[in-house]
Amino acid sequence: MMATMATSGLMVTSQLAQIASDFKVAHLTVAGMAALPLAMTLDRVANGVTRPLFGWISDLMGRERTMALAFTLEAVALSCWLALAHHPVAFVLLSGVVFLGWGEIFSLFPATLTDIFGTRDAARNYGMLYIAQGVGAVLGGPLAAWLHQASDTWFPVFACAIGGDLLTALLAIALLRPMRRRFARRRDAQAVSGVGLPMRPA
C-alpha cells in the first residue's frame, strides 16, 4: 500500500516541471509569480502540513479511515488537476492539494506499523517499510516518464496514479482494517494465556 501511494506522489514530484511545461503554464504568472516555482513552494508547505494534520486526524478517526480519506482526496485532486492544469491558478492550488493528500503516508504508515508491532523493533520495521519509498521512486520516476513518452500524453500516467490511490483507499478499509483487528485479537488472546508475542502494543 505504501509503495502504491509513494508511486503517485513521487510521480508528481519528479515530473512536476515537465507537466507544467506540457500544459504550458510553467512561465505563466499567478499573483506576480511564475506558476511553476509557486506551485513547488506550495507543494513543500502542503507536504509538511499534511503529516501532523493527518496524524492528528487519524488519532481521532482511526488509521484506516484516515488513509481512505486522504488517498481519495489525492485521487480527486489528481483528476481535477488533469482537467484544469491549463489554468495557472488551478495548476498551483491543485498541486498543493495533491501533496496534501500524499505526504501523510510518512505519518500514517509508520504510526500504523507501531500500533501493530509496538516500539520494540520500530526502527527495523520502519526501515523495511521505507523500502516502499524506493519502489515508488522507480515506478513514479523513470517508468512514469517512459509511459508519458510512449503515449505522448499524461492521461495514462495520471490514470495509473488515480487508480492506485483509489485501490489503496479501498485496501485500507477492506483489507488492512480487518487484518489489524484479527492480529489484535490474537495478540490479546496470547497475552491472556501467558504465551505472548515477541512484540508489544504501542
Side-chain angles (χ1 to χ4, degrees):
M1 289 172 63
M2 184 168 177
T4 304
M5 290 305 302
T7 297
S8 60
L10 290 172
M11 181 276 289
V12 176
T13 303
S14 62
Q15 309 297 333
L16 185 63
Q18 187 62 50
I19 293 170
S21 176
D22 288 353
F23 283 100
K24 304 186 187 315
V25 297
H27 301 295
L28 299 181
T29 60
V30 176
M33 297 180 62
L36 178 57
L38 181 58
M40 295 175 73
T41 301
L42 181 61
D43 295 347
R44 301 291 82 78
V45 173
N47 198 19
V49 168
T50 188
R51 303 179 191 209
L53 173 63
F54 276 100
W56 172 71
I57 293 173
S58 75
D59 288 339
L60 299 177
M61 290 180 51
R63 308 292 187 221
E64 297 88 358
R65 288 177 180 168
T66 306
M67 286 181 182
L69 172 66
F71 303 163
T72 303
L73 171 66
E74 184 182 344
V76 171
L78 282 171
S79 301
C80 295
W81 197 32
L82 183 60
L84 301 172
H86 292 91
H87 303 278
V89 174
F91 179 87
V92 170
L93 294 179
L94 287 170
S95 70
V97 179
V98 168
F99 276 85
L100 192 69
W102 173 65
E104 88 295 321
I105 66 172
F106 299 104
S107 58
L108 293 183
F109 282 111
T112 304
L113 192 70
T114 304
D115 288 346
I116 298 172
F117 297 106
T119 59
R120 178 178 173 181
D121 296 306
R124 179 167 42 185
N125 289 342
Y126 185 70
M128 294 296 294
L129 180 66
Y130 210 76
I131 292 174
Q133 174 85 345
V135 174
V138 174
L139 297 177
L143 286 184
W146 173 83
L147 181 58
H148 167 252
Q149 187 175 21
S151 62
D152 199 30
T153 176
W154 285 106
F155 286 99
V157 179
F158 274 74
C160 289
I162 292 165
D165 290 345
L166 294 176
L167 173 64
T168 313
L170 177 64
L171 289 175
I173 298 298
L175 182 65
L176 181 60
R177 194 177 187 197
M179 184 187 302
R180 285 218 305 150
R181 286 179 172 175
R182 287 194 302 270
F183 182 89
R185 285 196 296 267
R186 182 166 62 91
R187 181 185 59 201
D188 293 344
Q190 290 187 348
V192 169
S193 66
V195 175
L197 291 174
M199 54 199 66
R200 60 189 179 214

